[in-house]
Each structure stands twice: as C-alpha cells, then as structure tokens.
Amino acid sequence: MTNIDRRAFIRGAAGIAALGVSAGFPALVLGAARRVVVVGGGVGGATAAKYLRKLDDTISVTLIERKPSYTSCFMSNEVLSGERTLQSLTFGYDGLRRHGIEVVQDTAVGIDPLQKIVQTAGGGKFQYDACVVSPGIGFKWEAIGGYTEEVAATTVPHAWNAGPQTELLRRQIEAMPEGGRVIISAPPNPFKCPPGPYERASQIAMYCKHHKPRAKIIILDPKDAFSKQGLYLEGWRKLYGYGTDNSMIEWISAAGGGKIEEIDPETLTVQAEIEEFQGDVVNIIPPQKAGAIAFAADLVEGDWCPVDKRTFESTRHKGIYVLGDASSAAKMPKSAYAANSQAKVCAAAIVNRFRGLEPGDPTFVNTCYSVVGEDFGISVAAVYGLNSHTNTIEPIPNSGGVSPANASAEIRKREVSYAHSWFKNVISDMLE
Ligand SMILES: Cc1cc2nc3c(=O)[nH]c(=O)nc-3n(C[C@H](O)[C@H](O)[C@H](O)COP(=O)(O)OP(=O)(O)OC[C@H]3O[C@@H](n4cnc5c(N)ncnc54)[C@H](O)[C@@H]3O)c2cc1C
C-alpha cells in the first residue's frame, strides 16, 4: 500500500468507525477504538470502566462522575458508632486513570440514544458506542410530609448517601443527652442496602452502650420483615437486651403502626400511623427510586430501570446499560457487591458485542455483612443465575444462605474481620 493509499484507508476506516457498530465491521479489522461512556463513578460504574479496559485495552473509556472522589456508603454506619471516619471511606480516581480511563468531573444531564451522545451540565458532549449508567438512587421527597432536601441537610439527615449528612448524624448522636431517644424511619422495599437501617440501629446502640447506656433507639418500619431479621434479633438480644423492658432497641413493624406519614422538623416529632413519636435525634431514610439521570434519559418504568438480565442493556434504549441500585435486577438486592458483580457481566457483554459475539450465560454473586456489635458480625450470601425464560435473576439453590443461628463467639468475631476485608477487596476491585 502506498502512503497515500494508507492515509485514505485510515480516513475511510475512521469514518466507518464513527458510524458505530451498524457498519458491521469488527473493530479489530479496522483498528478503530470503540468508545464507552460510563455515567457514575460508584461501585457499578467504576467496576465496569475498569473491567472494560482489562478485557480490551483498545476500548476508549470515559467515566463521568459529578464528585472529585468516591465516599462509600458501605461501612458508613461505622462512622455513626465512631469506629471509623468518613475520610477512611473516601477514595480518588487515580487508580482508574492508571488503567487508561479518562475521568471527567461533571454531571450527566441527558443521553441521546439515537445520536449516541451523553450531555453534561458543563456543556460536554460525549459520543459513545456503548453507554453504561450507574447513578445509584434518588429519593421520593414527596412521600413524607414535612421532609425536604433542606430539612435533611440541616436537621433530620437521611445519611443514606455517605457524606456530610453522615457526619451531621454522628454529631447529633454525640450531642444527645443520656437517656435520649433516636428515631430511625426505615424505607419501604425496594431500597439501597436492605440490611442497612438495622445495621445502623445496631451501630448507634454499640456507641450508646458505652456512652449513653439509657438511650433508646426506635426503628419505625413500613415493613413486617427485614433482611437477616433472625440474626439481628439474636444479636440485639445478646448485646442490647432486646425483648426486655430495658431493651436499647425497639422495632415497630408495619403491623404495629411503624409506617410514618409526616415529620415536624422543629419539634422532631414524627407522625406514624397509630402514634406520634418524639426524638432527640431523628433519622429518616426516605422511599427511593433510580437516580435523576435515569429519568432524564427515559430509562425508567415506574421507579427503576428495566434491563435485559443477560447483559444489563436497557430494554428501553439499545446501547445503554444500567447497573447497580438504579436497575431492576430482582432478585438481587441493591448492594455494592451486587453492583460490582453486575458490572463485570455487563463489561463482558459489551466487549462481546463489539467483537460480534453473543453474550454468555451470566452468574452473579452477593454477600452482605453487617456488624451488629463488638465482635458480632453476621452475613447473607448467594450465587445467582439467569432464568432466561422469565428474564429474572434467581438464587441458585443451596448456593448460599445466612450465617448460622446461635453461632459461637469465635464465628461472630470472624465475620467482623470478614466484613472489613470484604470492604478493602471491593474498593480495590473497583478503584485500583
Ligand atoms: C448505610 C449503608 C450501608 C451499606 N452497606 C453495604 C454493605 O455492607 N455491602 C454492600 O454490598 N452494600 C452496601 N450498601 C449499598 C451500596 O452502597 C450500594 O448498593 C452501591 O453503592 C450501589 O452502587 P451504584 O453504582 O449503583 O451506586 P453508587 O455507588 O451510589 O454510585 C453512584 C455514583 O454516580 C454518581 N452520579 C449520580 N448521578 C450522576 C450524574 N448524573 N452524573 C455523574 N455522576 C453521577 C454519584 O455521584 C455516585 O458516585 C450500603 C448502603 C448504605 C446507604
């Protein structure tokens, strides 16, 4: 080939590449870099970005994340007991840059599925061959009378996105008088981290046991059951006197009138279905839905984003993949481990698509640890497979379970160390 011929070929190839997959030429033949734009640098987005590059380093990956660093929600309940600082949960994106990922600090405000462009608040336009969206959750602010974003930021934190509200809640608990009362309002299903509100109550109790032993923590719940309930109750009985008159923790289920309707942030009074509760500290975890960009990009049906469970490609718009909390991935929970697992399946499916191959049959994994008190950890684990007839993700029978009931002190202690090593591993897997 002469130089001119070669230049003309390269120009032509670039032109065809710009048309995307529809040209029908495998990227390898043309040497064209496929472009993936990832929205959201949390667990799902960061893991997908990293694994795309690990699977095929000819793919150009741009990650759009609104914050300069990631603060993990997982383990953030330990900030409330004073076991950790928020700083210990905060990580930068240099590890991803070292994988050759372009990290852009901006907020995605729209996605054009026909032109295949992501638009940002900063005026950026990012062309993609595939787009991965993992924006996490948003809140249904209209659901509880008197509860607004401003109230949450100043007096009644939800602290359900780790950050300043987590520290505000910690300060409020520290400032609470001895014998004070903490009210936690748990959200209805589905929501981010099903065992989280109960771990939160446990972590606050762990602090109060030493510093305010007459304190009470009341969980108001719009549900009649919760994740790992048997194990939590066992831990609460052993550690916090649950079931006695002096119990530090009280759980009020839906049947007991636990669903809340309204809050008066001035008096910290919560109106539940049957009774009114007044707290010294109130923590409302509101009902949830997919993050805002999922709505702006027309990816939702109801509150969450429907996806093809084999690939996590949106069933509403081809070429856009939705991961993690924002997706409808029943029966997987909305957890970090689930998002991490889905991201790897999705990255492999995108690479296969670029190579003209069919996606494989996925399996997924989730383990969720909770630290109920000092040296008292519990967990739930499952391996999931795809039921392609129903397009649902289902636990593989006998693949998991919960930690044993009435386990030895040794096992409970070991589960705390497993929880902490799981945290280090998942952060390393997504960001390093
Ligand atoms: C108290 C608590 C404890 C938890 N404990 C555990 C645990 O022990 N184990 C576990 O597995 N899970 C746990 N979780 C759940 C876990 O944090 C989430 O399930 C997980 O983070 C979901 O990952 P994601 O990628 O969907 O969303 P996230 O990790 O929330 O990431 C979303 C990212 O997208 C960014 N973003 C959103 N919109 C835009 C936009 N328009 N443009 C650019 N960026 C955007 C956000 O800034 C954020 O960085 C816990 C959660 C809480 C609240």
Side-chain angles (χ1 to χ4, degrees):
M1 207 187 269
T2 65
N3 277 347
I4 291 171
D5 283 345
R6 188 176 294 115
R7 276 200 300 273
F9 175 77
I10 289 167
R11 266 203 312 274
I16 291 166
L19 293 175
V21 240
S22 56
F25 293 99
L28 238 84
V29 173
L30 297 172
R34 300 292 193 154
R35 287 155 304 183
V36 181
V37 176
V38 179
V39 174
V43 186
T47 309
K50 176 178 150 178
Y51 274 81
L52 279 161
R53 292 283 302 170
K54 275 174 84 84
L55 291 169
D56 185 344
D57 65 6
T58 69
I59 298 174
S60 132
V61 179
T62 301
L63 173 70
I64 302 172
E65 164 57 50
R66 62 186 169 199
K67 295 191 185 145
S69 53
Y70 184 67
T71 303
S72 87
C73 286
F74 33 110
M75 298 295 155
S76 67
N77 282 330
E78 290 197 345
V79 174
L80 304 177
S81 60
E83 291 289 299
R84 273 184 192 270
T85 60
L86 203 62
Q87 196 51 40
S88 76
L89 303 174
T90 303
F91 304 87
Y93 288 104
D94 284 349
L96 292 188
R97 291 189 181 97
R98 281 194 287 277
H99 284 280
I101 295 158
E102 183 194 13
V103 182
V104 175
Q105 193 192 334
D106 206 339
T107 300
V109 289
I111 303 173
D112 181 335
L114 297 176
Q115 302 288 321
K116 298 189 171 178
I117 290 174
V118 177
Q119 295 129 13
T120 64
K125 287 190 191 309
F126 296 84
Q127 185 92 44
Y128 66 80
D129 296 301
C131 177
V132 176
V133 180
S134 192
I137 56 138
F139 297 108
K140 294 182 170 181
W141 291 107
E142 68 290 355
I144 295 164
Y147 199 51
T148 62
E149 283 195 71
E150 201 204 328
V151 168
T154 52
T155 41
V156 182
H158 55 70
W160 214 240
N161 285 328
Q165 289 192 26
T166 315
E167 290 184 316
L168 172 61
L169 185 55
R170 166 70 184 160
R171 287 195 301 276
Q172 290 177 336
I173 292 162
E174 279 182 298
M176 179 176 80
E178 162 58 326
R181 191 189 239 200
V182 182
I183 294 173
I184 299 175
S185 157
N189 291 325
F191 64 99
K192 161 159 81 171
C193 194
Y198 316 95
E199 182 191 59
R200 174 165 289 179
S202 309
Q203 285 285 320
I204 296 172
M206 184 169 149
Y207 165 79
C208 290
K209 195 170 168 177
H210 293 294
H211 302 280
K212 303 174 201 275
R214 289 190 290 108
K216 289 260 181 247
I217 298 143
I218 299 175
I219 307 166
L220 297 174
D221 211 326
K223 307 182 287 299
D224 283 324
F226 60 87
S227 172
K228 292 184 269 188
Q229 184 168 347
L231 291 171
Y232 270 110
L233 297 188
E234 181 191 318
W236 292 350
R237 271 185 213 106
K238 280 201 173 121
L239 302 168
Y240 310 121
Y242 189 76
T244 68
D245 288 346
N246 290 327
S247 177
M248 187 173 264
I249 297 179
E250 189 181 348
W251 174 61
I252 301 179
S253 66
K259 182 176 186 297
I260 73 161
E261 287 160 357
E262 221 180 320
I263 171 151
D264 179 346
E266 298 290 320
T267 59
L268 295 181
T269 306
V270 175
Q271 181 62 56
E273 253 175 12
I274 300 174
E275 254 184 270
E276 213 176 64
F277 294 84
Q278 216 233 326
D280 296 284
V281 176
V282 181
N283 168 223
I284 289 184
I285 308 166
Q288 294 159 33
K289 59 184 180 180
I293 183 64
F295 285 85
D298 184 36
L299 294 168
V300 289
E301 277 171 20
D303 292 331
W304 308 102
C305 305
V307 291
D308 174 350
K309 308 294 190 304
R310 192 179 290 279
T311 59
F312 278 74
E313 187 170 24
S314 164
T315 54
R316 294 183 63 78
H317 294 293
K318 287 269 165 223
I320 303 179
Y321 297 75
V322 188
L323 301 177
D325 293 348
S327 67
S328 289
K331 300 174 179 169
M332 291 186 87
K334 297 189 185 299
S335 78
Y337 207 173
N340 173 266
S341 186
Q342 293 160 7
K344 292 172 189 173
V345 166
C346 174
I350 291 172
V351 170
N352 276 337
R353 196 193 98 194
F354 287 167
R355 292 177 179 173
L357 301 172
E358 287 298 311
D361 279 341
T363 53
F364 306 88
V365 63
N366 181 61
T367 304
C368 195
Y369 295 95
S370 303
V371 180
V372 183
E374 265 157 66
D375 294 336
F376 200 106
I378 57 173
S379 63
V380 56
V383 180
Y384 299 84
L386 175 75
N387 181 336
S388 47
H389 300 298
T390 54
N391 189 33
T392 50
I393 296 174
E394 288 171 9
I396 294 171
N398 305 319
S399 68
V402 292
S403 9
N406 299 312
S408 67
E410 173 61 32
I411 289 178
R412 295 288 185 240
K413 186 175 175 179
R414 213 183 297 149
E415 292 233 63
V416 175
S417 68
Y418 291 163
H420 293 153
S421 68
W422 170 82
F423 171 73
K424 284 190 200 135
N425 290 337
V426 79
I427 289 290
S428 160
D429 197 35
M430 65 184 268
L431 289 170
E432 288 168 12

